[in-house]
Amino acid sequence: MADFMMRYIQAGQTSVANYLLDHFREVGMTTDQLLVYLQLRRQMDRGEQLPEAESIAESLGWDKQRVYQLLHEMIASKLMMITSVTNAQGQKADTYDFRLLTEKLSQLDVQTVQKEVKQEATSDRSTVFNQIETEFGRPLSPLEMESISQWLDEDHYRPELIQLALKEAVLSQAYSLKYMDRILLSWEKKNLKTAAQVQREKERQEPRRSAASGNASQASSQIPDVPIFKLTDN
């Protein structure tokens, strides 16, 4: 057992990114190409910068020509390339370079994020349409749908802000996109871009409104009662 553990440790380890194992098919790599890649990495980690096809074939139990074909396919598919490196002694040597594979994986991640963002935006748009139709109690016309799309795409109003404007319109019993548009424009002039900012502005204005209402009530109470005389009385 001790001898086995010694050989096990001396054989070393090859580290492979789980992200590659999860997505190798999505970047155009076949299962056979992945096996070749793993064998290449294994030998390169041991110091062989350009492992021989014969050695790879022997490790996999394949024909040498099959390995040559797979290596050619991986280079043609831009999964790897052969570059020159300079060793510690100043000598140049060829090696397999997998930066192209890493770049493909990074682009895949960007595409995934973009797809998720697009799906989320589509979902938000549908939610806004559905909520307005529900509150208005009728389907939206094509012109109304275009107006709402302009709020989202051109004016860049957040869905939460449009939903808040809808709430304000419903409270005022004004079931109209024009009324909502006036609300949104008033918020835009005040540079209020989120529902939280609108709420804070309301809280800031509330004391002023309460004070104004109180002053109006007080002024009304100070008006003296004027007796009404009948001009016909003698």
Side-chain angles (χ1 to χ4, degrees):
M1 185 65 178
D3 291 340
F4 166 74
M5 290 303 301
M6 181 63 68
R7 291 193 299 271
Y8 183 87
I9 294 173
Q10 290 177 344
Q13 296 182 7
T14 298
S15 178
V16 180
N18 286 329
Y19 196 87
L20 171 61
L21 298 179
D22 290 337
H23 301 284
F24 72 94
R25 290 183 180 276
E26 296 170 55
V27 296
M29 178 180 281
T30 66
T31 303
D32 286 351
Q33 290 172 350
L34 177 63
L35 289 174
V36 170
Y37 168 82
L38 295 175
Q39 290 297 327
L40 289 174
R41 293 301 322 174
R42 177 180 67 86
Q43 295 196 30
M44 291 176 69
D45 287 346
R46 290 178 172 177
E48 298 180 36
Q49 295 300 319
L50 196 70
E52 297 289 339
E54 293 88 344
S55 176
I56 301 298
E58 182 179 353
S59 297
L60 294 172
W62 291 351
D63 181 79
K64 180 176 63 176
Q65 292 302 321
R66 183 180 179 185
V67 174
Y68 275 127
Q69 179 63 30
L70 290 167
L71 290 172
H72 175 73
E73 290 174 358
M74 292 172 70
I75 292 174
S77 300
K78 299 187 183 303
L79 297 173
M80 70 177 189
M81 58 185 174
I82 297 177
T83 58
S84 295
V85 295
T86 303
N87 58 25
Q89 289 73 36
Q91 300 173 332
K92 288 188 175 182
D94 290 337
T95 186
Y96 287 115
D97 189 329
F98 298 102
R99 282 177 294 179
L100 292 176
L101 175 58
T102 303
E103 184 176 339
K104 279 180 175 286
L105 289 169
S106 68
Q107 289 300 315
L108 177 65
D109 186 56
V110 170
Q111 293 169 6
T112 300
V113 172
Q114 290 176 341
K115 183 179 180 181
E116 291 174 351
V117 170
K118 186 176 180 180
Q119 289 175 341
E120 183 178 352
T122 301
S123 176
D124 288 342
R125 186 183 301 266
S126 298
T127 299
V128 169
F129 286 160
N130 291 335
Q131 287 184 344
I132 294 177
E133 286 183 334
T134 299
E135 295 295 344
F136 283 13
R138 60 174 176 79
L140 292 169
S141 69
L143 187 60
E144 288 175 323
M145 295 179 71
E146 183 179 350
S147 297
I148 297 169
S149 294
Q150 288 177 349
W151 288 344
L152 293 165
D153 301 331
E154 297 179 15
D155 299 322
H156 303 294
Y157 294 142
R158 296 187 181 184
E160 63 176 22
L161 207 62
I162 297 175
Q163 292 165 345
L164 189 57
L166 173 62
K167 181 179 179 181
E168 295 286 335
V170 170
L171 290 174
S172 300
Q173 296 185 341
Y175 302 98
S176 165
L177 290 188
K178 290 184 179 179
Y179 189 87
M180 291 176 60
D181 191 54
R182 288 197 294 271
I183 294 174
L184 291 168
L185 283 173
S186 69
W187 290 341
E188 183 178 4
K189 289 178 181 179
K190 295 179 181 179
N191 199 32
L192 304 176
K193 298 181 179 180
T194 67
Q197 289 175 341
V198 171
Q199 184 60 37
R200 285 196 294 269
E201 177 65 14
K202 283 185 177 183
E203 292 173 355
R204 188 177 70 84
Q205 294 289 345
E206 191 61 34
R208 297 182 182 179
R209 292 173 184 169
S210 299
S213 177
N215 291 337
S217 299
Q218 183 178 1
S220 176
S221 64
Q222 291 175 352
I223 297 175
D225 292 333
V226 178
I228 300 175
F229 298 96
K230 292 183 180 180
L231 297 178
T232 56
D233 292 345
N234 291 324

